[in-house]
Amino acid sequence: MEAIEDLSELSESMRQAASLLADDDPSDDAAPRRPTTFLNAVALGNVGAGKSAVLNSLIGHPVLPTGENGATRAPIVVDLQREPGLSSKSIVLQIDSKSQQVSASALRHSLQDRLSKGASGGSGRGRADEIYLKLRTSTAPPLKLIDLPGIDQRAVDDSMINEYAGHNDAILLVVIPAMQAADVASSRALRLAKDIDSDGTRTVGVISKVDQANGDAKTIACVQALLSNKGPKNLPDIEWVALIGQSVAIASAQSVGSENSLETAWRAEAESLKNILTGAPQNKLGRLALVDTIAKQIRKRMKVRLPNLLSGLQGKSQMVQDELARLGESMVQSPEGTRAVALELCREFEDKFLAHITSGEGSGWKIVASFEGKFPDRIKQLPLDRHFDLNNVKRIVLEADGYQPYLISPEKGLRSLIKIVLEMAKEPSRLCVEEVHRVLLDIVNASANATPGLGRYPPFKREVVAIASNALESFKNDAKKMVVALVDMERAFVPPQHFIRLVQRRMERQRREDELKNRSSKKTQEAEQPTSKRASSPQTDSEQGGGSLKSMKDKSGQQDKDTKEGSNLQVAGAAGEITAGYLLKKSAKTNGWSKRWFVLNEKSGKLGYTKKQEERHFRGVITLEECNLEEVEEEEPSKSSKDSKKANGPEKTPSLVFKITNRVAYKTVLKAHSAVVLKAESMADKVEWINKIKAVIQSKGGSIKGPNTEGGSMRQSHSDGSLDTMARRPADPEEELRWMSQEVRGYVEAVLNSLAANVPKAIVLCQVEKAKEDMLNQLYSSISGQSNAKIDELLQEDHNAKRRREKYQKQSSLLSKLTRQLSIHDNRASVSSYSNDTSEAESPRTPSRSGEDWRSAFDSASNGPAAASSNSESRSRSADGRSRRYENGDVSAGANSGSRRTPNRLPPAPPRY
């Protein structure tokens, strides 16, 4: 009985462990208790097999109705609780929270009435017809006994049996009458038990009514064979116990007023069984042997479950410890403790905030996305075309000058245009500040949510977020002022060099136009010279004219020849997008020409050059999408040589020179050079170079300028760019204004690009860097300046967090207790298993599955002692050194030469029950 008590405690510990693993609270009485089936015992057998009598023997009182014709017509569940303080005859029936002492006979009659009514009105096939009893006695082990109707009844099917015995750890009590022991191999109850428990670890075979087979030697031999584990080969390997089954009824009927009648009856039952089954192991006889066998099977099932349960408890314990670490310890209730906790929470928040903003863990990448994506896009989307439309420029210039028109350059109007356009850059800058401010607010909230300690104190968390948000709001205002100041700085001061270059370029352009017009007029005058002047010196003029015509023919013929011969350039690439060849590059230092190998990639719009064709790395690369192309005249070495050539008459050959400049006046084209002057080796090369470079530049929006002159050199007298030259013929005002608006637009675009690069710097300085330093300093100073009462008010822990901590602390304590208890039982089971294995190794059991052993049991009963002796000798010869099967050495003692024995220690009682 003590073993069952220990198993009951272990079962409760395992139930609590299973509840913990299911995240239930085992100590909560209001919560539904997770059932455990380790202490369940389900009786299986045919009608009249004695199931109820066996369960009455375990209860210690004849509570359950018995009878040969199937007294159990519905499942009866008896939940037993052992209470040593009660007398051996007392039975306490517990209904809900009330207890009532009843007698065994009254309870049995009540059950018989309920079963009779249920048989007439119900099916008896499920839990709806189940009868549940909760009893407290001093004689019963703490088991839950389930008495099912006979399996050969129509009310019983496999679903009912699986409902009570399948998919759990319940012990299966297979009850077989002793008179049917010879037919045990065909027992349906055993087959059902084998289907449910294939390995036999929770099945116990009970041979009941052994006293009724006392006179049948063959049956007794069969019973002894089963108890000695010598059944048929197809029989499950289970433990067997023999009972008379009526000892409780006999004790209840014959012993009145005696407290020890049950113990006396159980001992008498064991002695009677020993006298009847002389060849059977004595530890398998009687009610006490049945209790011990049930305890042994329960321990086996628990031993199977314990390792997985312990492993689950260890994982659960680690999870609980992690959760407790996340929730933190309870706060120290003192002014210094609360202030220390507040500052520690500020430090945790600081670590999370810096991790989010610097390591990319949170939304810090959105700041860079705003700088590189949305802000530049807004700058590019400014309506520059509308503001630099010629009509708009005219209006602004007209309004800026008032009643006094401008004299040389509309400087006042252009400055006004620059201010108006740059004013539009303020709104994108402010929007960028707002976006960064929102990102920083998101990072503050995310950092607060990611700080475990702040989750415990919602008021303090709100205070931290409010302090940080107020600081970020002031930083946002400072950043807006800074970016607006950057724009105003560009609006307030326009470098004068830009307007100076405007005037210089206009004067140079006017001078070149005058040069072209003067040369064309000179050619017209020469062509209209009077014939008389040429006749005065016909030979000379004819020679001169002839020479002139000849040179002109030679020049045009040479140009046509060069063009028709084709270029010497090399073309490569899948679509011919790469062109390479030699060009002469003019040096800005020496003013001389150097031969270089140039490569043009039309797809990328790049023009690079190397010193030699074999070099693999470019010495310089020109980005053509930012450039303009201009054809220029080749400068002559000196004026004297020019005059000498003019005296000789023939014109110079066409220019092979062209120049690449930047669209923006003050930007460079290549390295530190604002222009690159190139010269082709032939006219065909020049034509092909210019055509391909022109196609790239025009596709990117660049402009192409024609040659300055069509022949001859520029006049030196007009090279000074004086106002006299400009005054000879006024330029078109609209064309001049268009040209100046384009130059101003180039300047404005450059300023906008500069703002796109500088505004993010100002935002980082005024918002991001201050958030990393000044905001956190303000947080510490603000929290430190709070009074103790205010800090106590802020550090009010969240009730949910408090409940969770208490829950996990309780679980941690219970987990430690359960792990310790289950580990002890697991170690005991291991030691017990080792000792059993050692004892079995020292004294091996005889084989229990030999068909010869089974036949010998029948032969010993039918042929008498001689046949039994001969069979025993033959078995000993064929056992290969196996030990004897019975304690007294042969089977004849078990049969006792056919003599009949009766129980000699039982008190007088009715002969059969």
Side-chain angles (χ1 to χ4, degrees), residues 372-385:
E372 296 181 352
K374 296 182 180 179
F375 178 60
D377 290 343
R378 292 193 183 104
I379 292 293
K380 292 179 181 178
Q381 292 171 3
L382 293 177
L384 297 184
D385 294 337

Side-chain angles (χ1 to χ4, degrees), residues 575-698:
E577 68 274 8
I578 298 176
T579 304
Y582 282 105
L583 287 172
L584 297 177
K585 177 178 172 291
K586 190 172 186 179
S587 175
K589 295 181 180 179
T590 62
N591 204 25
W593 297 94
S594 302
K595 190 175 183 181
R596 296 290 184 262
W597 178 261
F598 279 81
V599 178
L600 171 64
N601 190 331
E602 299 180 48
K603 183 177 292 185
S604 62
K606 307 286 186 179
L607 178 64
Y609 75 93
T610 60
K611 189 174 182 181
K612 296 180 181 180
Q613 184 177 356
E614 298 82 22
E615 293 183 6
R616 300 180 60 184
H617 300 286
F618 291 117
R619 299 197 175 203
V621 177
I622 302 173
T623 304
L624 296 177
E625 64 179 5
E626 302 174 355
C627 300
N628 293 330
L629 179 64
E630 181 180 354
E631 296 185 55
V632 297
E633 292 291 338
E634 184 177 358
E635 296 182 358
E636 296 183 357
S638 64
K639 186 175 181 180
S640 59
S641 61
K642 179 186 69 174
D643 295 340
S644 62
K645 289 184 180 180
K646 287 181 67 178
N648 293 332
E651 297 290 337
K652 66 176 184 178
T653 59
S655 174
L656 302 177
V657 182
F658 57 93
K659 182 169 64 174
I660 299 176
T661 58
N662 199 300
R663 296 183 192 175
V664 183
Y666 55 86
K667 286 190 175 182
T668 60
V669 177
L670 179 65
K671 299 179 182 178
H673 307 298
S674 59
V676 176
V677 181
L678 303 175
K679 182 178 180 181
E681 293 183 335
S682 65
M683 180 57 66
D685 290 353
K686 176 187 176 182
V687 171
E688 186 167 354
W689 276 115
I690 287 180
N691 289 337
K692 294 197 174 184
I693 295 175
K694 184 190 302 183
V696 174
I697 292 178
Q698 288 180 344

Side-chain angles (χ1 to χ4, degrees), residues 266-438:
W266 288 334
R267 285 195 296 271
E269 179 187 28
E271 291 297 328
S272 299
L273 289 172
K274 291 177 184 178
N275 294 330
I276 297 174
L277 304 173
T278 57
Q282 297 184 6
N283 60 349
K284 296 187 177 183
L285 304 177
R287 186 256 190 189
L288 298 178
L290 177 60
V291 173
D292 292 340
T293 304
I294 292 175
K296 179 180 177 182
Q297 295 296 89
I298 292 174
R299 187 175 290 107
K300 284 183 180 180
R301 296 299 298 176
M302 290 182 172
K303 180 182 176 182
V304 172
R305 304 294 187 190
L306 270 178
N308 291 335
L309 201 58
L310 284 172
S311 177
L313 288 179
Q314 291 174 358
K316 180 73 173 181
S317 178
Q318 183 63 40
M319 186 195 73
V320 169
Q321 295 302 324
D322 294 341
E323 190 67 20
L324 285 175
R326 189 183 68 83
L327 291 173
E329 299 294 334
S330 300
M331 188 176 61
V332 180
Q333 299 297 329
S334 66
E336 294 79 8
T338 54
R339 190 171 294 274
V341 169
L343 294 177
E344 179 63 27
L345 292 176
C346 291
R347 279 190 287 271
E348 292 180 9
F349 171 76
E350 176 185 3
D351 295 339
K352 290 294 183 181
F353 179 79
L354 293 177
H356 276 71
I357 202 171
T358 57
S359 64
E361 181 179 343
S363 303
W365 59 271
K366 294 182 180 179
I367 298 177
V368 181
S370 178
F371 290 160
E372 296 181 352
K374 296 182 180 179
F375 178 60
D377 290 343
R378 292 193 183 104
I379 292 293
K380 292 179 181 178
Q381 292 171 3
L382 293 177
L384 297 184
D385 294 337
R386 177 168 57 86
H387 284 274
F388 284 100
D389 182 71
L390 187 57
N391 294 326
N392 186 63
V393 174
K394 286 181 182 180
R395 182 183 59 82
I396 293 175
V397 169
L398 181 62
E399 293 175 355
D401 289 331
Y403 73 94
Q404 179 66 48
Y406 64 90
L407 300 177
I408 299 176
S409 175
E411 179 177 343
K412 193 174 181 180
L414 296 179
R415 286 182 180 274
S416 178
L417 180 62
I418 291 173
K419 288 183 179 181
I420 293 173
V421 175
L422 292 182
E423 178 70 22
M424 297 187 301
K426 291 183 179 180
E427 186 61 24
S429 302
R430 293 193 191 98
L431 291 177
C432 186
V433 172
E434 291 287 350
E435 286 182 359
V436 174
H437 176 69
R438 287 194 295 269

